[in-house]
Amino acid sequence: MQRVTIVGSGFAALTAIKTIRSKNKSIEINVVSPKAEFHYLPGSIWIPSGIREPDDLIIPLGPFFRRMRVEHHLAEATGLSGDGRILQTTDGEVENDGLIIASGGRFIKKLPGIENAITPCEGIAATMQIRDRLRELDSGVIAIGFSGNPKEPSAMRGGPMFEFLFGIDRQLRLEKRRDRFKLIFFTPAEKPGQRLGPKAVSGLIQEMQKRDIKTHLGHKMVEFTATSVVTEGGSFDADLILFMPGMTGNQWFDNTELPRSSGGLIKADANCRVEGMSSVYVAGDSGSFPGPEWMPKQAHMADLQATAAAKNLLAEFKGETPSETFKVELVCIVDSQTSGMLVARTENKNIVMPNMTIFHWLKRLFEWWYLRQYR
């Protein structure tokens, strides 16, 4: 019986499991991750306002693993043999005939004083911290921003920061205390949201102006302090700082011979196969893939890559040449608690639809639909 090992239990990992099991009922699947849980981070934008509680977004995976006949190893990956056939973990070695790496990315925390900022996409705990800090503040300045990995343009996640920005603005208005706060959006980019497409940039700036959100754009970050954001273009006071740095590869990659991009991610081809390795694939935030610079690091893209990776691995097992590729597309709803802006981008099209209440409810409906498969 052939054995597949999947590293991770996020979007890409779970999609790879479903894809493999739908094609092959008998193959052995081993999953290595620190917890048998799925954290639905797209919904964490609603934790500060109370629309969502942590338990709504943390899904125990025991029932799903049993349905899929998956053996879960409660461990962290620590290394990999040169041929990829043995994964080293904190709980010993796991052998495989095929490997899919879907362990996510790691935020670059090199900026001086970054411990003074909260990074929302680090997890549910981070968004709970935002919720608690907002409750504590009676007034002040809230600074929200992001940057990228200069060596890997696609290794960034800016979209959620717009959602936290607009969501917090709306929350304070509903609580009738927006007039006591100043909101500032900052990023080293001169035109925020470029990866969402040219049409999105003007729409986002107009939305900020409409909401009386100040901007500090186009200046390289220098440091954070407990009470300020410092850039090469000046500094400003801040009582609460939310910041999303660029991304790089997991630390355990350093203990392997996996090929790395200049930005630290695993180099893969258009079939999600790790360059120069047999039956080793990567999907989601861990990988560096050929394609446009705006290729998103988002759940939808991870799902598409994981589907391709799983199908190609099974093709290799059959002695066939992997041929499955993935479509590069960005689809998101930039939510603000009661309404949302739909943004879609492919290599040929860029669609931006204005804030509408229906998009907020579509985002919530999609969350329900997506999570029901794992409950």
Side-chain angles (χ1 to χ4, degrees), residues 189-332:
E190 294 183 0
K191 296 180 179 179
Q194 291 184 83
R195 288 160 42 96
L196 298 176
K199 293 182 179 180
V201 175
S202 58
L204 291 167
I205 293 294
Q206 289 174 10
E207 192 67 23
M208 291 182 205
Q209 293 172 344
K210 176 183 175 182
R211 295 169 181 263
D212 192 27
I213 296 171
K214 309 303 179 186
T215 58
H216 188 84
L217 309 175
H219 303 292
K220 185 178 179 180
M221 303 299 304
V222 175
E223 68 171 332
F224 297 113
T225 73
T227 57
S228 67
V229 176
V230 183
T231 76
E232 290 184 349
S235 63
F236 53 88
D237 294 336
D239 299 284
L240 174 60
I241 305 170
L242 311 187
F243 179 67
M244 192 84 78
M247 301 171 68
T248 187
N250 298 159
Q251 194 163 2
W252 72 271
F253 297 168
D254 296 341
N255 303 325
T256 73
E257 297 177 19
L258 289 165
R260 309 282 289 279
S261 68
S262 58
L265 304 181
I266 300 172
K267 293 176 69 175
D269 61 20
N271 306 115
C272 299
R273 183 164 50 177
V274 175
E275 291 186 0
M277 300 189 76
S278 174
S279 301
V280 180
Y281 290 80
V282 62
D285 292 351
S286 295
S288 177
F289 306 91
E293 288 190 353
W294 56 264
M295 186 186 301
K297 290 293 186 188
Q298 65 171 190
H300 176 60
M301 197 75 252
D303 283 341
L304 295 176
Q305 291 162 350
T307 300
K311 289 181 177 179
N312 286 327
L313 177 57
L314 294 178
E316 271 201 76
F317 284 168
K318 296 177 182 177
E320 301 171 357
T321 301
S323 59
E324 191 80 17
T325 58
F326 58 88
K327 183 179 181 181
V328 179
E329 61 182 8
L330 183 155
V331 181
C332 68

Side-chain angles (χ1 to χ4, degrees), residues 83-120:
D83 61 358
R85 298 287 70 88
I86 300 175
L87 180 75
Q88 282 110 35
T89 80
T90 52
D91 191 39
E93 296 182 343
V94 181
E95 297 183 2
N96 71 80
D97 300 300
L99 176 68
I100 298 177
I101 300 171
S103 51
R106 175 167 55 102
F107 292 107
I108 302 171
K109 293 295 195 80
K110 294 182 178 180
L111 198 64
I114 197 167
E115 67 275 6
N116 294 302
I118 301 173
T119 301

Side-chain angles (χ1 to χ4, degrees), residues 18 20-28 68-69:
K18 290 188 304 173
I20 290 172
R21 191 53 81 212
S22 69
K23 303 292 183 181
N24 190 308
K25 304 299 182 183
S26 61
I27 202 165
E28 180 182 319
M68 294 290 112
R69 299 191 304 285

Side-chain angles (χ1 to χ4, degrees), residues 173-190:
R173 292 180 188 277
L174 291 172
E175 295 171 352
K176 301 189 183 303
R177 57 192 189 114
R178 176 66 173 86
D179 59 327
R180 303 202 296 270
F181 288 87
K182 180 179 181 180
L183 267 60
I184 303 177
F185 175 77
F186 65 96
T187 179
E190 294 183 0

